[in-house]
Amino acid sequence: MIDDDFHQDVASTLTLDIRNLHTHFDTRAGTLRAVDGVNLRIKRGEIVGLVGESGSGKSVTGFSVIGLVDPPGRIVGGEVRFQGRNLVGLEEEALRQLRGHDIAMIFQDPMMTLNPVLRISTQMVEAITAHEIVAEDEALERAHDALASVGIPHPEERLRDYPHQFSGGMRQRVAIAIALLHNPALIIADEPTTALDVTIQGQILAVVQRLVAERGTSLLWITHDLSVVAGLAHRVAVMYAGRIVEEGPVDEVLDHPMHPYTAGLIASLPSHNRRGTRLAQIPGMAPPAHDRPTGCSFRPRCARATAECEQDPPATTPAQGRSLRCFNPMPAGSQGGRA
Amino acid sequence: MALWLLRRLVQAGFVMLAMSAIVFIGLHAIGNPIDILISPEADQAERARAIAALGLDKPLWEQYWLFLQGALHGDLGRSFVFNEPALRLIAGRMPATLELAVTAVLLSVCIGLPLGLYAGLHPNSFTGRLVMTGSIFGFSLPSFWVGLMLIMVFAVTLGWLPSSGRGETISIAGVGWSFLTVDGWRHLLLPALNLALFNISLVLRLTRAGVRETLPLDYIRFARAKGLTPGRVIYVHVLRNILIPVVTVIGLEFGSTIAFSVVTESVFAWPGMGKLIIDSINVLDRPVIVAYLMITVALFVTINLVVDLLYTLLDPRVRLGGRR
């Protein structure tokens, strides 16, 4: 049973293995296929950047992993294998025990993620006691240490404060401290630095990078900002219209994008353009989730589209460790050229 | 804080002053209480004696001046009808009304809040929709009609509960309280429910709206992502936030409940302040009317103060607003 052993081995190093995930929203306008067949693997201790425009389904993918997709949304197909165990269809109570304990989440807007009427201590202690039977003062002690570890000065005083007494960056540190309370195997970070100033963004990235490396935590970093991914992630997955169109090691994908959409994204970065020239841009906008073109969803915006693109492009492996869904990839050696 | 309190009290003083002046002028314009109080057969001398005894022979401004002087000493005048200090007369009736109003407010919270939570958490369920439809009736049915229907069903047809009066009372500090006896409760239930109906609907809709508004917020999602139990999420994270508007409205409605008890007290012959004020208006018993309105203003001011203080307890952003 060599094959089985091989799979066992792969599974044991994989923290997260998303297989052909479909999450749909049934609305009056029709079924929105927010996540439409996503495959994604995250190894232990690995940082994966999930990049895409608004509405590409990247956040819904994150919420699908921990079963927090609210109705009318629901997972209609696929598997979310976490440490070898499929979470799709798991009972709510079983999912609850995983949330915060084994899989933690950090949200986009730190001004909104903490409950405004509860003290920080309350919000941290409840996160501990939801999973463990601990004495109140021991839980407080741990909350205190967690705040200190994310670089919040005077944690013993800050514990008694309310969220509105913290700045945005400090609140995001609190959220990170809460996420790390149980040493989860996986953290899903949904654009956690988007709402912050650039300097604060840098500090938060440094904190996360350090803590994740110290503890061997896997990290799924959802963002629309390629430059953040470039400095943080090991691998990057580019999402478009509910699918991952390109995936691979971050340096390779950024240096040699194969999908015209990835190439367009990179070319759109202001730092990639020479001063005085017009900014490169991808024409048009992402199709709405209830009205996507057949075949490749990027087809209407793509300069390289051919008649073949009216068919669904299959996932291919153009190089070791990379995957791609495109019939007409960018020519080798192109550096984020125009799509 | 002290300054804020002082300002509130001064404002309240001015409101009371203006109100008493309006009542004096208004009642003077409506008619002469002597015509109602004295039998038509009384001769001229008796009439003059009565007018002088009540102080109605003096010009209106002087009557008002004398009233103000008395008011400063805590004397709001004597009832023309009962010849008793108006304040004592009202104080004797106040427990009945307060008891009714407090019970009604408690009922509206105990019924409205759970139903609103349910309707907010299950907005598309049959029960949720039924509750919301029912609340429209609570809003729109006139309270006197509901009162009569309650009497008809529970007192006349079913015979479960008495239709009028306070029943057996137990006296504490010189005033009787119905809520201390079983019989008193039986008498209290129907009028309190009648009075509460509007507020039940109000609290219910407010709670539902709050739940619907709070549930999709990020901090609720974050609370769920921490792995908290659904109970903890709803009863701590959601409820703490929706309590803020609910407490405000309940506080403000408490004043209205006392004011609206006039109708309910008349329907159920509940011997409270509301019934007293209606009787007093009928006979133009000016001191009682003025005293009643003064007390009502004082009550409103006190309630608003308490609500503001509660607000700072519930919402930390209010408490620390000055120290930001």
Side-chain angles (χ1 to χ4, degrees):
Chain A
M1 302 298 276
I2 295 165
D3 199 40
D4 255 19
D5 278 352
F6 172 73
H7 273 114
Q8 285 276 303
D9 195 41
V10 171
S12 66
T13 58
L14 277 181
T15 301
L16 185 69
D17 184 7
I18 303 176
R19 296 180 186 173
N20 198 23
L21 180 71
H22 287 78
T23 304
H24 292 182
F25 288 75
D26 294 316
T27 67
R28 284 186 188 165
T31 300
L32 309 185
R33 289 171 291 147
V35 178
D36 197 14
V38 160
N39 291 289
L40 189 66
R41 292 174 158 201
I42 304 179
K43 289 206 250 339
R44 191 181 298 155
E46 191 176 42
I47 301 178
V48 173
L50 185 59
V51 181
E53 288 171 271
S54 317
S56 60
K58 54 193 194 310
S59 291
V60 178
T61 305
F63 282 116
S64 298
V65 170
I66 53 171
L68 275 185
V69 180
D70 284 324
R74 63 202 171 90
I75 299 175
V76 294
E79 290 181 8
V80 173
R81 292 198 160 268
F82 172 73
Q83 297 179 330
R85 177 184 179 200
N86 186 12
L87 305 187
V88 174
L90 217 57
E91 273 178 39
E92 178 59 24
E93 173 59 19
L95 279 171
R96 180 193 75 71
Q97 288 175 5
L98 282 173
R99 285 182 204 132
H101 191 263
D102 302 286
I103 308 176
M105 202 155 175
I106 309 171
F107 286 60
Q108 175 172 3
D109 187 354
M111 309 310 261
M112 291 298 295
T113 49
L114 299 171
N115 194 325
V117 300
L118 299 175
R119 288 180 204 277
I120 298 299
S121 57
T122 312
Q123 303 195 43
M124 294 190 80
V125 167
E126 70 178 5
I128 296 172
T129 53
H131 299 287
E132 290 170 41
I133 298 166
V134 202
E136 172 90 10
D137 49 346
E138 195 196 323
L140 268 176
E141 182 73 29
R142 272 170 64 182
H144 173 277
D145 295 347
L147 283 189
S149 74
V150 293
I152 289 180
H154 313 296
E156 62 283 349
E157 289 160 35
R158 299 303 265 167
L159 268 175
R160 285 194 295 273
D161 283 347
Y162 286 94
H164 70 274
Q165 292 163 289
F166 288 79
S167 67
M170 282 296 158
R171 284 192 216 190
Q172 199 61 292
R173 282 173 197 258
V174 173
I176 292 167
I178 291 175
L180 289 167
L181 277 172
H182 293 282
N183 267 325
L186 172 68
I187 295 178
I188 299 167
D190 188 6
E191 308 213 31
T193 56
T194 309
L196 302 172
D197 287 342
V198 183
T199 48
I200 308 294
Q201 183 175 328
Q203 292 172 9
I204 296 287
L205 283 175
V207 168
V208 170
Q209 211 162 17
R210 172 172 59 82
L211 292 171
V212 165
E214 276 172 15
R215 300 161 190 233
T217 314
S218 304
L219 184 61
L220 177 62
W221 191 275
I222 300 168
T223 182
H224 63 257
D225 191 342
L226 271 178
S227 54
V228 169
V229 167
L232 179 75
H234 302 119
R235 288 195 306 129
V236 60
V238 180
M239 203 161 171
Y240 187 79
R243 288 187 176 171
I244 289 175
V245 294
E246 179 166 13
E247 198 218 313
V250 74
D251 294 335
E252 286 181 35
V253 171
L254 293 187
D255 289 346
H256 305 290
M258 291 185 182
H259 199 283
Y261 176 64
T262 315
L265 273 187
I266 296 167
S268 305
L269 286 177
S271 58
H272 247 262
N273 290 267
R274 219 172 301 137
R275 194 188 320 277
T277 58
R278 281 194 135 208
L279 280 178
Q281 44 182 307
I282 304 175
M285 48 201 263
H290 61 271
D291 187 24
R292 288 190 184 134
T294 55
C296 174
S297 301
F298 188 57
R299 179 163 55 90
R301 302 169 74 185
C302 182
R304 304 178 61 80
T306 57
E308 198 183 9
C309 300
E310 286 171 33
Q311 306 296 316
D312 262 340
T316 55
T317 311
Q320 175 72 34
R322 291 189 70 167
S323 92
L324 178 70
R325 275 178 187 270
C326 184
F327 288 116
N328 306 303
M330 302 298 286
S334 75
Q335 275 219 339
R338 271 160 207 260
Chain B
M1 177 74 184
L3 192 74
W4 169 78
L5 200 67
L6 191 72
R7 201 160 54 208
R8 290 298 276 286
L9 290 178
V10 171
Q11 278 172 357
F14 274 111
V15 172
M16 284 191 192
L17 195 69
M19 193 218 45
S20 61
I22 292 169
V23 173
F24 257 77
I25 296 166
L27 286 182
H28 185 72
I30 289 174
N32 192 345
I34 288 299
D35 299 340
I36 301 166
L37 288 171
I38 291 184
S39 72
E41 286 98 53
D43 59 21
Q44 204 57 34
E46 268 180 79
R47 217 179 133 79
R49 211 168 35 246
I51 289 174
L54 297 178
L56 293 172
D57 51 341
K58 301 186 182 74
L60 189 67
W61 65 266
E62 201 182 331
Q63 291 179 36
Y64 186 57
W65 181 245
L66 286 172
F67 162 78
L68 284 185
Q69 281 184 331
L72 280 178
H73 298 101
D75 173 17
L76 295 179
R78 296 176 85 85
S79 163
F80 294 162
V81 180
F82 300 99
N83 196 24
E84 248 188 85
L87 216 49
R88 193 198 298 166
L89 204 59
I90 291 166
R93 301 288 198 97
M94 195 144 68
T97 296
L98 283 182
E99 184 172 69
L100 189 62
V102 168
T103 312
V105 166
L106 286 180
L107 273 181
S108 56
V109 177
C110 294
I111 299 174
L113 207 62
L115 285 182
L117 265 180
Y118 183 87
L121 293 172
H122 311 276
N124 296 319
S125 68
F126 177 75
T127 320
R129 286 169 197 261
L130 191 74
V131 163
M132 288 310 284
T133 314
S135 74
I136 295 172
F137 286 102
F139 265 129
S140 40
L141 293 178
S143 108
F144 73 89
W145 184 82
V146 174
L148 293 175
M149 288 302 117
L150 285 175
I151 291 179
M152 223 174 83
V153 174
F154 291 102
V156 178
T157 310
L158 295 171
W160 289 353
L161 295 164
S163 67
S164 66
R166 290 187 72 187
E168 200 181 319
T169 56
I170 283 179
S171 174
I172 289 178
V175 288
W177 298 94
S178 293
F179 75 94
L180 294 170
T181 65
V182 176
D183 186 51
W185 266 112
R186 281 163 44 85
H187 283 80
L188 189 56
L189 203 59
L190 280 188
L193 193 65
N194 181 213
L195 194 55
L197 201 63
F198 179 84
N199 283 336
I200 291 174
S201 306
L202 192 65
V203 170
L204 190 161
R205 296 190 83 95
L206 210 63
T207 308
R208 179 188 183 271
V211 172
R212 300 300 309 149
E213 205 176 292
T214 312
L215 273 185
L217 291 182
D218 265 1
Y219 61 78
I220 299 301
R221 274 201 158 178
F222 188 64
R224 289 166 66 198
K226 286 196 292 191
L228 302 186
T229 56
R232 172 104 193 160
V233 172
I234 290 163
Y235 294 112
V236 177
H237 285 260
V238 175
L239 203 59
R240 269 298 292 263
N241 276 280
I242 58 175
L243 271 186
I244 296 167
V246 168
V247 163
T248 315
V249 167
I250 286 174
L252 297 178
E253 281 299 311
F254 186 59
S256 315
T257 305
I258 292 175
F260 275 123
S261 69
V262 172
V263 176
T264 300
E265 285 178 14
S266 303
V267 172
F268 289 90
W270 188 263
M273 294 197 297
K275 195 146 179 341
L276 176 70
I277 186 70
I278 289 287
D279 295 343
S280 301
I281 289 172
N282 276 335
V283 295
L284 294 177
D285 194 348
R286 191 181 66 200
V288 178
I289 299 171
V290 175
Y292 171 84
L293 290 173
M294 301 276 266
I295 288 174
T296 309
V297 170
L299 263 176
F300 263 86
V301 171
T302 315
I303 292 167
N304 285 357
L305 266 177
V306 171
V307 168
D308 279 347
L309 291 175
L310 271 182
Y311 216 94
T312 63
L313 268 181
L314 283 173
D315 193 341
R317 287 163 295 187
V318 173
R319 166 170 29 191
L320 298 156
R323 191 195 109 175
R324 209 178 311 176

